[in-house]
Amino acid sequence: MSAYFTRTPGRSGRRSAEVVAGLGKRAMFDVRLFRKPEFVAVIFQPSPVSLGFVVLLVYLTIYLQGVAGHTAAASGLLLLPMTAPVLVLPLITSHLAVRTSVRTVLTGASVLIVIGALLLMTLRSDGSWLMLALPLLPLLPFGAGVGLAFGVMDNAAVSTVPVSNAEAAAGIFNTMRVTGESVAIAAAAAILTTLTARDLNSHGVVADYASTLAGQAIQGHLDPDHLAALTEGITNAFHTVGLVLAALSAVGAILTFFALSTTGAQSKGSGHHTSATGVTR
């Protein structure tokens, strides 16, 4: 189905651009929704959530196998504190939102992610499987925060707009979520590689060669001649990533709390709106 641009007058007399579906008048990408601060806050909520979860799921797995030297099965078990809540909590989040509010759940989720991200600074590569498992237990609040957020984010986005704009809101939200995940993987690789290369450079490795070694190490291939320096560099890089995730999630918690009102945007669980998946909740 083709799409074209039309211009419709706004209340203030100005015209706003609107992308509409070729066979109907419903907006496929209604830019007027970005005038609502609560909607903007919700659609940007997936960015720090996806950044943290996708980055750790991808690169922490490589770290556990390439740097810490564990098998794929052992690495998967070590990540269970982060992944198990994401599987379980979305099943009960809607009930929790009904008892409290969407704003409370989303804000609490961001706070849990902040705590888990900060505790990621305890990560270390040496020691036995058990000694490595203990520092990774703090990923439990991180996973809990992600699980809570995943359970209500789509419906929260739809709940902040009129029912007539629900489809456009769902499309914008899903676009932001998928885009955020894609950008997060690339950005995390760049950050981890840059920080690791900088650490190698401080150990006397030439800058260009350090970048090459760091890029390979992020993919799990560590040069035996620089094993100790690479291990230290990647571990320190993850500590920095934890701080960045904590800062972004803290900003998200503040924006969500103040942007979502205590009445309409909270929507007490999902009320009468249709979620991004098309299911009435």
Side-chain angles (χ1 to χ4, degrees):
M1 180 181 295
S2 63
Y4 60 90
F5 283 88
T6 187
R7 301 178 67 83
T8 56
R11 291 183 179 179
S12 61
R14 295 177 301 178
R15 293 178 178 270
S16 60
E18 184 179 333
V19 182
V20 297
L23 298 180
K25 296 182 179 179
R26 291 185 179 181
M28 185 171 62
F29 193 92
D30 193 345
V31 296
R32 293 174 299 180
L33 296 180
F34 288 93
R35 296 175 181 174
K36 300 175 66 66
E38 60 269 25
F39 176 71
V40 174
V42 172
I43 65 171
F44 279 102
Q45 179 77 7
S47 297
V49 175
S50 298
L51 179 64
F53 183 71
V54 174
V55 165
L56 295 184
L57 188 63
V58 173
Y59 294 107
L60 193 54
T61 303
I62 296 175
Y63 175 89
L64 293 174
Q65 296 181 54
V67 178
H70 294 289
T71 64
S75 300
L77 290 175
L78 287 169
L79 290 177
L80 275 179
M82 182 181 72
T83 56
V86 178
L87 175 65
V88 177
L89 287 180
L91 302 176
I92 62 174
T93 302
S94 60
H95 301 288
L96 181 61
V98 169
R99 294 179 176 273
T100 57
S101 67
V102 172
R103 181 177 72 166
T104 300
V105 173
L106 283 178
T107 304
S110 295
V111 171
L112 286 173
I113 292 174
V114 170
I115 296 173
L118 287 175
L119 292 175
L120 186 64
M121 295 185 66
T122 62
L123 180 68
R124 50 183 294 181
S125 62
D126 57 340
S128 63
W129 185 92
L130 179 61
M131 292 300 294
L132 185 59
L134 293 177
L136 287 178
L137 283 178
L139 288 178
L140 182 60
F142 188 96
V146 174
L148 289 174
F150 279 1
V152 297
M153 282 193 303
D154 59 341
N155 196 72
V158 175
S159 299
T160 58
V161 301
V163 176
S164 58
N165 297 118
E167 294 178 357
I172 294 173
F173 171 80
N174 285 323
T175 299
M176 294 296 297
R177 178 164 58 182
V178 174
T179 302
E181 292 175 355
S182 302
V183 172
I185 294 177
I191 293 173
L192 291 172
T193 300
T194 301
L195 294 175
T196 304
R198 182 182 303 176
D199 200 281
L200 286 173
N201 191 248
S202 66
H203 284 79
V205 181
V206 179
D208 292 340
Y209 188 43
S211 297
T212 301
L213 291 176
Q216 294 174 348
I218 297 303
Q219 300 176 33
H221 307 293
L222 279 69
D223 188 330
D225 295 334
H226 301 86
L227 183 60
L230 284 169
T231 299
E232 179 184 352
I234 297 177
T235 303
N236 292 336
F238 268 105
H239 294 169
T240 303
V241 168
L243 288 175
V244 173
L245 292 177
L248 291 175
S249 298
V251 172
I254 295 172
L255 290 177
T256 300
F257 182 81
F258 287 105
L260 295 181
S261 67
T262 57
T263 54
Q266 274 182 299
S267 179
K268 282 284 182 181
S270 302
H272 306 287
H273 293 275
T274 302
S275 71
T277 57
V279 179
T280 302
R281 301 181 179 183

